[in-house]
């Protein structure tokens, strides 16, 4: 009986000890799981606190209303033709925004810059920057900026006609005279090079070929010269140093390269650019006249497919049926794809010495390429009736 009690006591002690051990093990296991989670949450809270502090500082110094407790109306005017920079500066001077620079960048990146319109507004110093930008889009419809587009293959005259029709320029002849003379843009090295040539005065337009095709955003106050400089600057960016090295390797000047690219642009669709370039390179190497119809089109202003003897006899430094080598200058403003083709013509066509091409069906724009004169004459005999019918259909004699 006594031993039984002792055994029962020992059992109770072992049970309590095991329960305490199990409880400690459970607590330790849970803590191992929770500890990294709690530490991660702690780090996140610290980072969030830092970010919140930074945001509060940025917001209070640049983005917050100038005075959240001041609803006093302030009259503000955006004059017709004012630039976004001027509007931003005027808002800051009127005490309506905290930073003209932040406001300008905000409008540019959020798309408000293209929507701000001239007009008279009532603003308050308790308005946020976003609210002010949004309010300035409700004016009288005269936008601060607009888009203009130069299409690849357009001539300067095509571009001027479009600008005039869209109301971007008021005097077509003034725009054309700047492009014809070119001297106002001699600070661009490639224009200076053109002006330094003996044949510069023979060109229809000194700037032809150098108004890079693209879509541009301009201020409504942009002058003719501002617009031209916008496009010339893009041309400069389109000729990096490796292009210049390749031009030298070909034995060309930049102007000759642009001239060839302009002919390629007019002669073919992009899929055939490199093959047409190969034909031109091969003919130049062989000392042959380029005999490119598109140079006749540039002089005559008539897109005639079936050229006759009178067309081919036009006396012009652009007429490649009469002059040797390249024409006196570019005949349009070429795309980057045409420039690339002039730089890197089709190697297979170079190796196989293709020397001729002609149009197939004028509607399709497809070309037929030949290596020999006999092959070319055979192709012309097949397709010439299509050219003549195409001209007659458009009333061209």
């Amino acid at each position: 009986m006594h031993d039984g009690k002792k055994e029962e006591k020992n059992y109770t002690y072992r049970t309590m000890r095991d329960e305490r051990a199990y409880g400690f093990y459970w607590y330790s296991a849970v803590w191992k799981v929770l500890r990294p989670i709690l530490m991660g949450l702690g780090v996140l809270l610290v980072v969030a606190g830092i970010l919140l502090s930074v945001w509060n500082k940025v917001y209070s110094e640049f983005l917050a209303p100038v005075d959240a407790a001041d609803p006093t109306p302030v009259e503000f005017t955006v004059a017709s033709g004012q630039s976004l920079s001027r509007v931003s500066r005027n808002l800051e001077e009127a005490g309506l925004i905290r930073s003209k620079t932040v406001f300008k960048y905000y409008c540019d990146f959020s798309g408000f810059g293209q929507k701000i319109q001239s007009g008279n507004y009532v603003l308050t110093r308790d308005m946020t920057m976003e609210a002010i930008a949004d309010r300035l889009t409700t004016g009288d419809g005269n936008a601060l900026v607009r888009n203009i587009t130069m299409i690849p293959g357009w001539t300067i005259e095509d571009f001027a006609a479009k600008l005039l029709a869209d109301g971007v320029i008021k005097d077509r002849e003034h725009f054309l005279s700047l492009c014809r003379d070119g001297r106002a843009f001699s600070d661009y090295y490639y224009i200076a090079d053109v002006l330094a040539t003996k044949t510069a005065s023979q060109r229809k337009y000194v700037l032809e070929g150098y108004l890079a095709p693209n879509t541009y955003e301009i201020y409504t106050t942009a002058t003719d010269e501002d617009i031209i400089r916008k496009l010339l600057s893009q041309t400069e960016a389109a000729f990096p140093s490796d292009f210049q090295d390749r031009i030298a390797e070909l034995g060309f000047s930049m102007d000759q390269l642009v001239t060839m690219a302009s002919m390629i642009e007019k002669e073919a669709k992009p899929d055939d650019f490199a093959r047409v370039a190969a034909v031109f390179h091969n003919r130049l190497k062989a000392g042959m006249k380029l005999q490119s119809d598109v140079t006749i089109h540039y002089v005559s202003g008539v897109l005639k497919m079936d050229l006759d003897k009178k067309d081919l006899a036009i006396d012009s430094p652009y007429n490649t049926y009469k002059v040797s080598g390249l024409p006196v200058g570019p005949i349009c403003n070429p795309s980057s794809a045409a420039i690339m083709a002039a730089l890197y013509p089709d190697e297979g066509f170079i190796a196989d010495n293709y020397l001729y091409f002609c149009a197939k069906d004028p509607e399709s724009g497809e070309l037929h390429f030949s290596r020999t004169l006999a092959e070319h004459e055979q192709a012309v005999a097949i397709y010439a009736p299509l050219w003549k019918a195409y001209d007659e259909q458009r009333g061209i004699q």
Side-chain angles (χ1 to χ4, degrees):
M1 189 70 179
H2 178 74
D3 290 340
K5 288 182 178 180
K6 184 176 180 180
E7 184 176 343
E8 181 180 354
K9 183 177 180 180
N10 289 338
Y11 173 78
T12 300
Y13 173 75
R14 287 195 305 271
T15 301
M16 292 174 63
R17 183 187 63 191
D18 291 344
E19 287 177 350
R20 285 197 300 271
Y22 176 76
F24 178 78
Y25 173 79
W26 177 85
Y27 173 79
S28 177
V30 171
W31 176 244
K32 284 182 180 181
V33 173
L34 289 178
R35 185 172 182 272
I37 295 174
L38 293 174
M39 289 181 67
L41 289 173
V43 171
L44 287 176
L45 287 173
V46 172
V47 171
I50 294 172
L51 292 175
L52 183 61
S53 297
V54 171
W55 166 250
N56 287 336
K57 183 174 179 60
V58 171
Y59 181 79
S60 62
E61 290 189 10
F62 301 108
L63 307 177
V66 172
D67 187 348
D70 184 5
T72 305
V74 178
E75 292 186 1
F76 183 79
T77 299
V78 177
S80 178
Q82 278 189 335
S83 67
L84 178 58
S85 296
R86 166 56 72 178
V87 172
S88 302
R89 184 161 59 251
N90 289 348
L91 284 169
E92 185 180 79
E93 291 174 356
L96 290 164
I97 59 173
R98 292 177 176 273
S99 170
K100 61 185 179 184
T101 302
V102 172
F103 182 82
K104 182 179 183 301
Y105 283 133
Y106 171 77
C107 287
D108 282 335
F109 284 109
S110 63
F112 281 113
Q114 299 182 36
K115 300 176 183 178
I116 291 177
Q117 300 177 23
S118 61
N120 298 314
Y121 302 87
V122 176
L123 307 174
T124 60
R125 291 185 174 86
D126 65 351
M127 293 176 69
T128 64
M129 185 175 64
E130 180 182 5
I132 289 174
D134 184 59
R135 180 72 60 83
L136 296 183
T137 65
T138 61
D140 58 15
N142 295 319
L144 292 174
V145 296
R146 65 182 304 163
N147 288 338
I148 60 172
T149 300
M150 164 68 93
I151 301 294
W154 272 7
T155 65
I156 282 174
E157 291 183 358
D158 294 330
F159 188 44
K162 179 61 174 173
L163 293 177
L164 183 67
D166 291 345
V168 179
I169 62 174
K170 295 183 174 67
D171 186 345
R172 176 176 178 271
E173 182 51 40
H174 178 257
F175 183 89
L176 292 178
S177 67
L178 288 171
C179 296
R180 185 181 299 115
D181 180 83
R183 285 179 293 180
F185 310 98
S186 60
D187 49 319
Y188 292 91
Y189 72 89
Y190 41 89
I191 302 302
D193 289 345
V194 171
L195 290 168
T197 63
K198 295 179 180 179
T199 57
S201 61
Q202 299 177 30
R203 295 190 183 221
K204 195 173 181 181
Y205 296 98
V206 166
L207 301 189
E208 192 79 88
Y210 294 97
L211 301 188
N214 210 330
T215 295
Y216 301 87
E217 182 181 277
I218 62 168
Y219 288 114
T220 55
T221 55
T223 64
D224 293 0
E225 185 171 331
D226 293 335
I227 294 170
I228 292 170
R229 286 187 174 276
K230 188 94 171 181
L231 277 68
L232 288 176
S233 296
Q234 181 66 25
T235 293
E236 187 163 3
F239 280 86
S241 58
D242 57 326
F243 278 24
Q244 299 292 350
D245 292 342
R246 175 59 177 167
I247 290 171
E249 183 182 329
L250 291 170
F252 279 26
S253 66
M254 179 174 169
D255 189 55
Q256 289 173 322
L257 193 285
V258 173
T259 298
M260 178 180 284
S262 72
M263 295 169 62
I264 294 167
E265 186 75 53
K266 283 294 193 181
E267 286 281 14
K269 291 192 172 182
D271 287 347
D272 278 332
F273 278 178
R275 290 187 279 270
V276 169
V279 170
F280 285 154
H281 277 284
N282 285 340
R283 291 179 75 94
L284 288 174
K285 186 177 179 181
M288 301 171 66
K289 287 185 172 66
L290 293 180
Q291 297 182 324
S292 171
D293 290 5
V294 294
T295 61
I296 302 292
H297 298 160
Y298 184 68
V299 177
S300 68
V302 180
L303 301 181
K304 186 177 180 182
M305 293 291 297
D306 188 26
L307 299 180
D308 56 30
K309 291 182 179 180
K310 183 179 178 181
D311 297 317
L312 302 181
I314 291 176
D315 185 18
S316 169
Y318 285 98
N319 183 355
T320 54
Y321 280 88
K322 295 194 71 174
V323 300
S324 297
L326 292 161
V328 71
I331 61 170
C332 73
N333 296 276
S335 63
S336 58
I339 291 171
M340 186 63 71
L343 287 168
Y344 299 98
D346 186 285
E347 293 182 359
F349 270 47
I350 290 285
D352 291 338
N353 200 34
Y354 275 84
L355 294 171
Y356 303 90
F357 64 85
C358 68
K360 293 183 179 180
D361 180 356
E363 294 287 356
S364 71
E366 290 184 86
L367 300 178
H368 182 280
F369 293 88
S370 304
R371 284 175 289 189
T372 68
L373 180 58
E375 292 173 352
H376 176 64
E377 289 177 339
Q378 184 178 10
V380 169
I382 294 171
Y383 297 114
L386 298 177
W387 310 339
K388 186 174 182 179
Y390 183 72
D391 287 342
E392 290 175 351
Q393 182 182 352
R394 294 181 300 145
I396 297 175
Q397 300 296 326

